[in-house]
Amino acid sequence: LGSFGSRSLFVGGSAVASACDALIEEGRKLAALRLGAPVEAVTYQGGRFAAPGGSVLLADLAAWLDAPD
């Protein structure tokens, strides 16, 4: 019958990829707020959100959100 490992990887991998895409899209919105830039100008690569005039690491963005007001 087999282990169905290939099917599990396909389904699980697709779910992880979808979650990552959603995380990056939400991160772009938050980075835009933090950087004072339009969302359309924010890019993501290698753990860093960047816009003209500045950038912020994903980890720093998370820390900024977790900081008390």
Side-chain angles (χ1 to χ4, degrees):
L1 293 174
S3 68
F4 300 100
S6 296
R7 182 171 185 266
S8 297
L9 179 60
F10 177 77
V11 173
S14 295
V16 169
S18 205
C20 289
D21 289 343
L23 173 70
I24 291 169
E25 190 55 35
E26 287 302 309
R28 286 180 65 230
K29 294 173 188 174
L30 294 169
L33 179 65
R34 174 78 191 268
L35 297 170
V39 174
E40 299 80 22
V42 178
T43 59
Y44 177 81
Q45 184 175 4
R48 181 180 298 275
F49 293 95
S55 66
V56 62
L57 290 171
L58 176 60
D60 292 340
L61 189 61
W64 176 67
L65 289 171
D66 196 40
D69 292 331

